[in-house]
């Protein structure tokens, strides 16, 4: 049996409800008060600011040494080994010597330990960012041809010039992130929807795949950047495909197959495995041993990592001229780096029940990239696979990240030489096999096409633009398309005409239900979006469609008809009789076509100098034709209208006046309190548009209309199974339905 409820309350308009229920007067703080409060400092605020700026203090105070330390050690060692391998691999994406990836896996991690709010992400190189850095590097220092004329390049080798470019663009990226964090604009990441990020990262994965083919095949292919660079790169690869190094190809295929299979085992049996099998590290160690034993570099002409310098290089100041050359690329890098890291951090914060701060994350990554760039590391964010290792191996806090940085430091200072015989094709294979997650996102397209086509368009356009135009321009195009879809959704919302569902006080789209009731002469119109300058004309057009006539045209026709009637009365060709106005002349009557004062035609109809009021729905004398209006009441459902701007207020008022002047009663229901306050403050109401037209609910307005315009005697059903009784009971009329009684006061 369905549950039922009984409601007995007065019928409320907004004015009646306000009169009966006293509101709490809230004092809104002024701008001056907010500024004063922001710059006020006391001991509590200073303490909170310190904890906010240095989040590690908060979790260090609650650190459970016995329960967490061992887990963090295991996680730190596992993550550090993966970070070493990925640092070497992703530096190839950045078109830099491999060992600079070790710097990126060390310096940013140390800074993030103190400033970051996430306890589980692994900071370091991220393939998409590395590829974006590589595009900037190859643009300013191409593989073929001279570098761009930049002061500071004199006397430097090609690799040193590339390191300067990568460090400078990373420094600039860090400045942008830090500035956004200090200005509290972390919300900017919300403009990158999941759909856009998915399409963008899928395109980035394709770029990464193509960029690694030269290592997998053992070919010499210059790095290219800019629009259509992926096409030109593929062309250069296929032109010399017969020069493929078979040893590199076989090694890569073997590595990819083994790593893929073991990763699938890790995913399938992750509940049973104490820690994931570090297959990338295992295969790298094996590949290093085999390469060294069989002298791959000499015998098979395999390109290997080569010499890895011991220790860290001295700090370097960024080049200001490079800032000017790379500012356009640095901004999307700053946004993408933060967006990816914040998304991953948010997933783990929800899973482990703690709070992350988007603005503090911007500060943390900004500082990490600034200090890292000073020590010649390139752009840092977080890699999804590396963060998964840190979390899945039991990492509890960023102490695991700190330990991973120590592992990287040990490799850099002591045992880096063991990685010198490692074939670059192995690094390329590891990068490619880790692209599976991003490449498989293409499966979202059929789902999006079935469920939400505008989102599907955003995905496809972002992906294609990023593939063909490059990641920076592709992101801009995708963001533009995404904002356009938001504008179109708001500018062209799905307006609807509602009807009552039989036997209820519920109103739904009349096109969607079979059992509905629509009182004669009543229309209910709903707009499910804010009303503002861009969609007010669309709103008025849809409103005209809903009521079935153009009120301004009807008003002008009526005023023209009145001109004609007055003219005929003045000439004596029209006389007042017991049957109404009677035409006395037999000649043709011409309708007044005086267009000299159109403003008069837009004014309310005036009957003051006529002997009788004209019934516009009856037959008029002298064959005067005026469009018939069968609607006497219009209800506007504003339940989904969150705001109106000044342009919308003017357009709405004009539309209401046009309807009122053709004798259509207009009611606005479920209007937000904020909008009502704005209407009063903007002097929206006057002698024609009155506040009494606002009702609390749609059903309140409908009951008011049905009492004012009773249904025909032969059709006693009101709101389907409900009946309005004409008898009065203590000043309250009763609406009775099969399921409930709703009492409505007069």
């Amino acid at each position: 049996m369905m549950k039922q409820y009984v409601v007995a309350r007065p019928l409320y308009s907004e004015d009646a409800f306000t009169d009966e229920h006293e509101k709490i007067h809230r004092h809104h703080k002024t701008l001056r008060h907010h500024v004063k409060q922001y710059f006020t400092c006391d001991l509590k605020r200073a303490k909170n600011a310190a904890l906010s700026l240095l989040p590690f203090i908060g979790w260090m105070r609650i650190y459970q040494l016995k329960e967490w330390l061992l887990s963090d050690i295991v996680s730190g060692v596992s993550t550090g080994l993966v970070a070493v391998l990925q640092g070497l691999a992703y530096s190839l994406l950045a078109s830099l010597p491999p060992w600079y990836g070790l710097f990126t896996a060390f310096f940013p991690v140390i800074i993030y330990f103190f400033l970051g709010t996430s306890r589980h992400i692994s900071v370091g190189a991220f393939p998409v960012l590395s590829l974006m850095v590589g595009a900037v590097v190859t643009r300013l220092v191409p593989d073929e041809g001279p570098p761009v004329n930049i002061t500071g390049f004199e006397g430097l080798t090609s690799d040193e010039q590339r390191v300067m470019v990568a460090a400078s663009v990373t420094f600039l990226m860090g400045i942008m992130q830090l500035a956004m964090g200090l200005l509290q604009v972390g919300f900017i990441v919300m403009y990158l929807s999941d759909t856009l990020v998915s399409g963008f990262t899928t395109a980035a994965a394709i770029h990464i795949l193509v960029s690694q083919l030269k290592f997998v095949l053992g070919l010499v292919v210059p790095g290219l950047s800019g629009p259509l660079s992926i096409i030109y790169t593929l062309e250069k690869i296929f032109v010399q495909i017969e020069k493929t190094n078979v040893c590199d190809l076989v090694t890569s295929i073997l590595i990819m197959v083994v790593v893929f299979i073991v990763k699938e085992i890790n995913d399938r049996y992750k509940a049973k495995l104490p820690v994931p099998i570090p297959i990338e590290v295992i295969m790298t160690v094996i590949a290093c041993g085999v390469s060294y034993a069989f002298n791959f570099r000499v015998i098979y002409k395999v390109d290997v990592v080569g010499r890895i310098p011991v220790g860290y290089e001295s700090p370097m100041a960024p080049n200001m001229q490079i800032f000017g050359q790379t500012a356009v690329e640095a901004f999307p890098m700053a946004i993408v780096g933060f967006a990816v890291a914040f998304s991953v951090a948010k997933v783990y914060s929800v899973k482990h029940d703690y709070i992350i701060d988007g603005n503090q994350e911007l500060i943390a990554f900004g500082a990490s990239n600034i200090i890292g760039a000073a020590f010649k590391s390139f752009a840092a964010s977080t890699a999804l696979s590396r963060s998964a290792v840190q979390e899945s191996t039991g990492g509890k806090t960023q102490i695991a990240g700190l330990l991973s940085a120590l592992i990287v430091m040990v490799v850099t200072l002591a045992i880096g030489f063991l990685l010198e015989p490692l074939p670059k094709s192995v690094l390329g294979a590891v990068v490619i096999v880790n692209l599976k997650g991003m490449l498989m996102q293409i499966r979202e397209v059929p789902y999006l096409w079935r469920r939400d086509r505008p989102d599907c368009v955003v995905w496809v356009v972002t992906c294609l633009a990023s593939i063909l135009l490059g990641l920076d321009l592709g992101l801009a195009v995708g963001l533009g398309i995404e904002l356009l879809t938001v504008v179109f959704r708001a500018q062209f919302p799905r307006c609807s005409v509602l009807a009552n569902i039989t036997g209820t006080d519920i109103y739904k789209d009349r096109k969607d239900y079979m059992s509905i009731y629509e009182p004669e002469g009543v229309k209910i119109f709903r707009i499910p979006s804010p009303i503002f300058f861009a969609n007010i004309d669309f709103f008025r057009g849809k409103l005209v469609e809903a009521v079935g006539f153009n009120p301004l045209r009807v008003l002008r026709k009526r005023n023209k008809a009145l001109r004609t009637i007055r003219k005929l009365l003045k000439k004596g060709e029209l006389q007042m009789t017991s049957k109404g106005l009677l035409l006395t002349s037999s000649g043709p009557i011409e309708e007044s076509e005086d267009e000299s004062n159109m403003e008069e035609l837009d004014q309310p109809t005036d009957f003051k100098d006529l002997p009788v009021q004209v019934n516009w729905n009856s037959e008029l004398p002298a064959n005067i034709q005026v469009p018939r209006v069968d609607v006497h009441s219009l209800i506007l459902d504003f339940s989904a209208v969150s705001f109106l701007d000044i342009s919308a207020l003017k357009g709405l008022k004009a539309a209401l006046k046009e309807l009122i002047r053709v004798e259509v009663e207009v009611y606005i229901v479920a209007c937000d309190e904020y909008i009502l306050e704005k209407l009063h403050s903007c002097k929206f109401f006057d002698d024609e548009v009155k506040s009494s037209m606002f009702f609390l609910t749609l059903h309140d307005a409908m009951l008011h209309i049905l009492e004012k315009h009773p249904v025909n005697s032969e059709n006693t059903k009101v709101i389907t199974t409900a009946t309005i009784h004409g008898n009065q009971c203590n000043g309250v009329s009763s609406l009775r339905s099969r399921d409930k009684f709703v009492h409505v006061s007069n």
Side-chain angles (χ1 to χ4, degrees):
M1 179 178 177
M2 293 184 65
K3 293 183 179 180
Q4 300 177 356
Y5 68 90
V6 176
V7 178
R9 68 166 177 82
L11 186 155
Y12 283 123
S13 66
E14 288 284 356
D15 289 345
F17 186 82
T18 303
D19 292 341
E20 186 171 329
H21 299 273
E22 185 178 359
K23 293 178 64 177
I24 297 174
H25 180 69
R26 291 184 292 174
H27 295 280
H28 296 285
K29 295 179 181 178
T30 62
L31 178 61
R32 179 182 177 184
H33 184 276
H34 283 293
V35 172
K36 181 181 178 181
Q37 187 179 34
Y38 184 80
F39 288 102
T40 300
C41 185
D42 54 29
L43 184 61
K44 184 178 179 181
R45 289 200 69 188
K47 181 181 177 182
N48 291 337
L51 290 175
S52 174
L53 190 61
L54 298 171
F56 83 101
I57 297 175
W59 57 259
M60 283 291 285
R61 288 160 60 186
I62 62 170
Y63 193 83
Q64 301 173 26
L65 194 65
K66 293 181 179 179
E67 290 82 0
W68 291 359
L69 183 59
L70 182 59
S71 297
D72 277 341
I73 291 174
V74 173
S75 175
V77 173
S78 302
T79 307
L81 294 174
V82 175
V84 169
L85 179 60
Q86 291 189 348
L88 295 172
Y90 295 158
S91 61
L92 299 181
L93 292 174
S95 299
L96 298 174
W99 63 87
Y100 286 99
L102 299 178
F103 299 168
T104 306
F106 178 73
F107 292 106
V109 178
I110 301 296
I111 305 304
Y112 187 85
F113 173 84
F114 295 102
L115 300 179
T117 58
S118 174
R119 303 177 195 172
H120 292 89
I121 64 171
S122 174
V123 177
F126 175 54
V128 176
L129 270 186
S130 302
L131 191 68
M132 296 176 79
V133 171
V136 177
V137 167
T138 53
R139 179 172 66 84
L140 298 185
V141 188
D143 288 324
E144 297 177 346
V148 174
N149 186 19
I150 291 177
T151 305
F153 275 3
E154 299 85 357
L156 300 180
T157 65
S158 177
D159 283 345
E160 290 171 338
Q161 291 173 349
R162 292 188 165 201
V163 170
M164 178 180 285
V165 172
S168 297
V169 73
T170 300
F171 196 97
L172 182 57
M173 166 188 165
I175 290 175
M176 292 178 176
Q177 289 177 329
L178 184 61
M180 288 189 289
L182 294 175
L183 293 174
Q184 305 285 292
V185 292
F187 64 86
I188 195 170
V189 72
M190 291 187 290
Y191 290 101
L192 300 179
S193 68
D194 291 343
T195 306
L196 182 143
V197 171
S198 175
F200 176 77
T201 51
T202 303
I206 294 173
H207 274 283
I208 293 168
L209 175 62
V210 171
S211 71
Q212 296 305 292
L213 288 179
K214 64 181 180 182
F215 298 113
V216 170
L217 300 174
L219 302 176
V220 178
V221 178
L224 302 172
S225 62
L228 301 180
S229 60
I230 191 171
I231 306 296
Y232 300 135
T233 301
L234 287 172
E235 180 191 13
K236 289 182 179 294
I237 288 173
F238 286 111
V239 163
Q240 50 178 324
I241 194 72
E242 74 279 357
K243 298 179 183 178
T244 297
N245 188 309
V246 177
C247 183
D248 272 324
L249 181 59
V250 172
T251 303
S252 300
I253 293 174
L254 183 62
I255 293 288
M256 284 190 283
V257 170
V258 173
V259 171
F260 178 81
I261 292 173
V262 176
K263 276 183 169 290
E264 289 297 308
I265 293 172
N266 282 340
D267 287 340
R268 181 165 297 184
Y269 299 103
K270 60 183 175 182
K272 298 180 180 180
L273 293 171
V275 294
I277 302 171
I279 187 59
E280 294 105 324
V281 176
I282 294 171
M283 295 305 295
T284 300
V285 171
I286 293 173
C288 277
V290 172
S291 175
Y292 177 77
F294 292 95
N295 200 4
F296 277 10
R297 184 176 67 85
V298 175
I299 298 176
Y300 300 105
K301 309 299 181 185
V302 170
D303 190 13
V304 298
V305 169
R307 187 184 68 87
I308 296 180
V310 177
Y312 294 99
E313 300 182 13
S314 57
M316 177 186 67
N319 187 297
M320 295 299 157
Q321 194 174 349
I322 294 176
F323 280 5
Q325 295 275 356
T326 60
V328 175
E329 290 101 331
F331 184 70
M333 286 167 57
I335 298 298
V336 170
F338 169 64
V340 172
F342 186 72
S343 299
V344 177
K346 190 162 58 174
V347 170
Y348 291 128
S349 71
V350 171
K351 181 177 179 180
H352 296 279
D353 192 24
Y354 61 90
I355 297 172
I356 58 171
D357 182 351
N359 293 311
Q360 182 61 28
E361 287 294 291
L362 273 170
I363 292 173
F365 278 104
S368 298
N369 281 309
I370 288 172
I371 295 174
F375 288 92
K376 302 182 180 178
S377 72
F378 54 90
S381 178
T382 183
L384 312 184
S385 58
R386 196 170 59 246
S387 294
V389 169
Q390 180 165 319
E391 192 269 343
S392 63
T393 51
K396 303 296 183 184
T397 65
Q398 280 300 330
I399 285 181
L402 193 63
L403 292 172
S404 74
L406 293 179
I407 298 295
V408 175
M409 185 178 70
V410 169
V411 172
T412 305
L413 297 178
I415 60 174
F417 68 92
L418 296 176
L419 296 172
E420 290 180 1
L422 178 65
K424 289 184 178 179
S425 58
V426 172
L427 296 177
V430 170
V431 170
I432 290 174
V433 82
N434 277 297
L435 295 177
K436 178 200 168 188
M438 288 194 285
L439 290 172
M440 294 305 288
Q441 291 176 135
I442 200 168
R443 293 182 299 181
E444 296 177 12
V445 175
Y447 172 82
L448 290 172
W449 182 254
R450 292 192 303 268
R451 304 298 182 190
D452 194 324
R453 292 192 178 182
D455 263 1
C456 184
V457 170
V458 170
W459 196 102
V460 172
V461 171
T462 302
C463 186
L464 292 178
S466 299
I467 291 171
L468 297 176
L469 303 179
L471 295 181
D472 49 354
L473 291 177
L475 181 62
V477 170
L479 189 58
I481 293 294
E482 182 182 55
L483 294 179
L484 276 177
T485 61
V486 174
V487 169
F488 279 122
R489 288 178 199 258
Q491 189 170 352
F492 305 108
R494 184 182 177 275
C495 301
S496 56
V497 176
L498 307 184
N500 175 256
I501 302 298
T502 303
T504 72
D505 59 353
I506 298 170
Y507 297 80
K508 294 288 186 180
D509 191 332
R510 63 191 300 272
K511 297 178 180 178
D512 294 338
Y513 293 87
M514 298 287 292
S515 182
I516 61 171
Y517 177 71
E518 296 180 277
E520 187 177 350
V522 181
K523 292 288 184 182
I524 308 170
F525 181 75
R526 182 176 188 272
I527 179 169
S529 81
I531 307 176
F532 57 106
F533 67 94
N535 70 358
I536 183 61
D537 291 333
F538 177 81
F539 165 74
R540 294 181 67 176
K542 286 294 182 180
L543 188 58
V544 168
E545 288 182 24
V547 297
F549 62 89
N550 187 322
L552 184 59
R553 180 172 175 271
V554 171
L555 179 62
R556 289 175 176 174
K557 283 285 188 179
R558 288 184 179 183
N559 279 324
K560 283 184 181 181
L562 285 177
R563 284 184 182 180
T564 303
I565 290 172
R566 287 191 179 96
K567 185 176 179 182
L568 293 174
L569 285 171
K570 188 175 181 180
K571 290 181 178 180
E573 297 177 0
L574 198 63
Q575 293 182 354
M576 182 65 188
T577 68
S578 58
K579 295 182 179 181
L581 293 172
L582 183 66
L583 184 66
T584 58
S585 68
S586 58
I589 303 297
E590 293 184 5
E591 186 179 342
S592 175
E593 295 293 339
D594 182 13
E595 305 286 348
S596 59
N597 192 353
M598 288 295 293
E599 290 184 4
E600 289 185 6
L601 296 179
D602 296 344
Q603 298 304 310
T605 51
D606 185 7
F607 300 101
K608 64 183 180 182
D609 57 346
L610 294 178
V612 66
Q613 186 167 338
V614 179
N615 180 1
W616 297 110
N617 284 337
S618 64
E619 187 177 349
L620 299 178
N623 292 324
I624 297 174
Q625 300 294 323
V626 174
R628 183 182 177 88
V629 175
D630 295 322
V631 176
H632 59 71
S633 301
L634 172 67
I635 302 175
L636 300 179
D637 182 1
F638 270 32
S639 58
V641 178
S642 56
F643 73 88
L644 295 103
D645 65 3
I646 296 299
S647 299
L649 289 180
K650 293 178 181 178
L652 177 63
K653 188 170 184 177
L656 295 182
K657 283 192 172 185
E658 290 170 6
L659 288 161
I660 292 169
R661 288 171 181 178
V662 294
E663 300 169 9
V664 175
E665 299 168 5
V666 183
Y667 302 92
I668 299 177
V669 302
C671 188
D672 186 81
E673 203 67 39
Y674 159 77
I675 295 177
L676 273 174
E677 290 177 7
K678 186 170 184 178
L679 294 178
H680 282 286
S681 64
C682 293
K683 311 295 183 186
F684 182 79
F685 302 109
D686 55 24
D687 293 338
E688 291 181 277
V689 181
K690 301 177 181 179
S691 61
S692 58
M693 68 168 55
F694 286 81
F695 279 75
L696 272 186
T697 70
L698 204 162
H699 204 54
D700 282 315
M702 180 61 79
L703 296 177
H704 174 77
I705 292 169
L706 293 174
E707 285 188 306
K708 196 170 183 180
H709 301 275
V711 294
N712 297 331
S713 57
E714 66 271 11
N715 184 9
T716 58
K717 288 189 176 182
V718 178
I719 313 301
T720 63
T721 61
T723 305
I724 289 186
H725 293 269
N727 60 309
Q728 302 296 317
C729 179
N730 297 325
V732 177
S733 66
S734 175
L735 173 68
R736 186 176 66 193
S737 76
R738 181 182 299 132
D739 296 329
K740 53 185 176 287
F741 291 91
V742 181
H743 297 281
V744 188
S745 69
N746 289 328

